[in-house]
Amino acid sequence: FVSSDLKILKPNAEFYHTVLNQSNFTAEQVVWVETEPKFISKARSYGMHVITYNQNSYSALVQGLKQLGNQPKILFNVVN
C-alpha cells in the first residue's frame, strides 16, 4: 500500500482501517513492518503485530518474525 495512492497519511486512523479493509485480512493476521517508530502505536492499537526495522539491516525483521513463531501472517511494509 502506498499512502499517497490512498490519499491518507499515517498515522491517520483511517489509513490503517483502509489497509485492513482492502486487504481482507484481520488485524491479528497482519505483521506491520515499520521503519518509523512514530507510527508503531497506531498499528498496534488496531491489534496488528508490529516489527520495527532499519532499512540498512534486516536482522531486526528476521528476529521479529522468529519471535512470532509459526503463526500464519501477512506482511505489510507501507511506503509513504
Side-chain angles (χ1 to χ4, degrees):
F1 291 90
V2 180
S3 59
S4 60
D5 289 349
L6 296 176
K7 297 180 179 32
I8 309 167
L9 297 177
K10 298 182 291 184
N12 186 322
E14 185 181 349
F15 176 82
Y16 300 91
H17 182 74
T18 299
V19 168
L20 287 174
N21 281 341
Q22 289 186 10
S23 70
N24 293 316
F25 291 101
T26 66
E28 295 78 21
Q29 294 173 301
V30 172
V31 177
W32 194 273
V33 179
E34 183 59 68
T35 59
E36 292 293 329
K38 63 185 175 183
F39 300 132
I40 292 172
S41 62
K42 187 60 79 170
R44 280 198 178 128
S45 73
Y46 273 88
M48 299 177 207
H49 303 275
V50 179
I51 298 173
T52 305
Y53 78 103
N54 179 319
Q55 291 178 331
N56 297 320
S57 171
Y58 290 98
S59 61
L61 175 60
V62 172
Q63 183 63 31
L65 291 171
K66 285 181 181 179
Q67 289 176 352
L68 290 174
N70 294 326
Q71 303 171 35
K73 304 286 183 220
I74 186 73
L75 298 177
F76 284 125
N77 183 0
V78 179
V79 179
N80 286 328

